[in-house]
Amino acid sequence: MTPLVSIEDLRVAFNGVPVLRGVDIALQKGEAVGLVGESGSGKSVTWLAALGLLPRHAQVSGSVRLDGRPILGAPAAELDQVRGGRIAMIFQDPASALNPVLTIRRQLCEALALHRDLQGNAVKAEARRLLDLVGIPDAGRRLEAYPHEFSGGQVQRIMIAMALAGNPDLLIADEPTTALDATIQAQILELLSTVRRELGMAMVLISHDLGVVAENCDRVAVMYAGRIVEQAPSNQLFADPVHPYAQGLIGALPPLDGPRRRLTAIPGTVPDPAHMPGGCAFAPRCALVADACGLAAPTLAPIADDRSVACVRAEVSRRALLGIAAE
Amino acid sequence: MSPPLVEVSAISRTYAMRSGMFGRAAAVHAVDGVSLTIAKGQTLGLVGESGSGKSTTGRIVLGLEPPDSGEVRFDGKPMAAPGTTAWRAQRARMQMIFQDPLGALDRRLPVATQIREPLDIHGLGTPAARDERVRELLRAVELTPAHGARYPGALSGGQRQRIVLARALATKPDFLVCDEPVSALDVSIQAQVVNLLCDLQAQLSLTLLFISHDLRVVRQISNVVAVMYLGRIVEIGSADDLFARPEHPYTQALVSASPAPGRRSAGRILLSGDPPNPAARPTGCAFHPRCPRAIARCAREVPALSAVGGDRQVACHLVTGAATRDAA
């Protein structure tokens, strides 16, 4: 089956400094994939590059295919059909993505006019239906309101409505709830999963919050320093992480119940992209580092059905984890 | 239990907020009758969403802002009047760290100079002893003297927060208010700073007021946790017990909203509506418009914080102690 989107060996450099160092990921229709990693790991850049949204001075190479057709470096006219039409994106700070001096109706109708063949009253009716769909009460009247008249959670709902205007096959949600309070975050995540189920839409959820990704995605990819280091179904990744970095991330998360334990912090910090260590980028912080780690950067290799890890010490790391579990 | 270091009794703080240029000033009750005690060497965690008044509470406790009513007592004595010698002596014993370490540091000064500053201001030790103290502080936060010579821009986020922590510890304070100290940090770095805070607290027998919206981090570090909603404490109790068995419907929703790896969202309590506007506080229990269990009485009467057994206190008409706990 042809994947909906497949990215192969995607590389991005800014002014000669590589920030994305060969990313491979594929998405099936209707699938929800999570992308986790710390700031600077390249989660957002991957999708901005794939959609041609990076500034001109970024050097991008590799291949991005939508339904088998290459879209990386495609002409603007073709990309305009893809962006907002086939693939839509929402961001962390919804308020800055809306124009403060235009009504919600104007902005929603603009998106509809661009991507849907609708005329006159049908546009307004559709805008109203979208607002209803994302749970804005009294949608008909609220269409005439301005962005500042809505709360933060409602503005993110409006952004979701705008993203849905083009009937996309894939929604890329880049930290959609990071700026929101916990109870509102739960509402927005619930909305996203309902919408996805109803419309059969695929979703990429980019987040630094492992819990958010675990609960809302079928599959998770962990990124570190511009590469995917582990890819697995959500439940397996959290129950049995293999890459030492993935293990570190999960160990660093304080538990909400059960006995309190000292957090297993990963020592050191993320390497500077301009001075990347030779070999595995995680090696300087890794507890299981061996001589082989400094030789070459490990490639993402399958270790089980639907699971792959980029670590030469994967076997050792896995045994170490099982050993801890057996104690 | 050790004697309380900080006693806060019924503090309130109201701001006047104008809506629009000609709008009438409306009163915003940022903090409304909050009482807390923090025992020596203990950590009190304060959780709540934005606008719940947790930061204002921290500022009042530290004396950065006077309460409109109520009183804060530190080590058995009321807070001295700002600007007096007694106030300065008291302030050296209490310090604060904020969420944004870059905003709290001067970008044009080497960080060692900034760590030294409180020692110069409070005139602690001879100049040579101060330099030694700076090196000692850098070691305490697991940095080297080489880091001290750098400017804030040349340090990572986690390192900057360590510098802020070192500076806060310079005067050997007894009490530290931490306002979202790890919220801006990545998970792996956050764990480093949380572990460091726990270690330093144990070594220096610090008393902490730890303010955060992150329930996990708060549970990790706190002995007692208080949950705030619209300027009031709605529930308070020991950290493990509170998160394991939340009683107040708001705390229950908050705990249930905290995503956990390996747990799908089955049975999640979803609150309807937005967090209310502090300038238009609902009558009765401020939470009642969003509460899934609200009854008529909730809209009329403000529930008082009352003991429900153990060391738990809850402000809810529907939670009345042993009976409900057994039924639940």
Side-chain angles (χ1 to χ4, degrees), chain B residues 44 46 64 74 98 104 111 168 174 185 208 212 220 256 262 277 316:
Chain B
L44 180 97
L46 205 54
L64 293 178
F74 182 73
F98 297 96
V111 291
D174 300 305
L185 305 176
L208 297 184
S212 179
Q220 182 71 18
S256 136
N277 179 356
C316 179

Side-chain angles (χ1 to χ4, degrees), chain A residues 275-287:
Chain A
H275 303 100
M276 209 45 98
C280 174
F282 186 63
R285 302 176 74 186
C286 185

Side-chain angles (χ1 to χ4, degrees), chain A residues 38-39 151 154 181 183-184 186-187 190 211 215 217 238 254-258 260-263 265-266 268 285, chain B residues 49-50 186 188-189 192 195 199 216 219-220 222 240 258-261 263-264 268 270-271 273-275 290:
Chain A
E38 298 179 274
S39 28
S151 67
Q154 283 180 324
D181 278 321
T183 56
I184 307 299
Q187 290 175 1
E190 179 68 22
E215 281 190 13
C217 297
F238 292 100
L256 200 54
D257 42 33
R260 271 186 254 186
R261 53 170 174 84
R262 189 174 171 81
L263 303 178
I266 306 174
R285 302 176 74 186
Chain B
E49 296 179 286
S50 39
D186 275 318
S188 72
I189 308 299
Q192 293 174 5
N195 282 345
D199 293 345
R216 293 172 175 280
R219 188 185 100 113
Q220 182 71 18
S222 306
D240 289 338
S258 182
R263 187 190 72 181
R264 280 276 175 168
R268 160 153 305 165
L270 270 185
L271 292 180
D274 292 313
R290 298 175 77 196

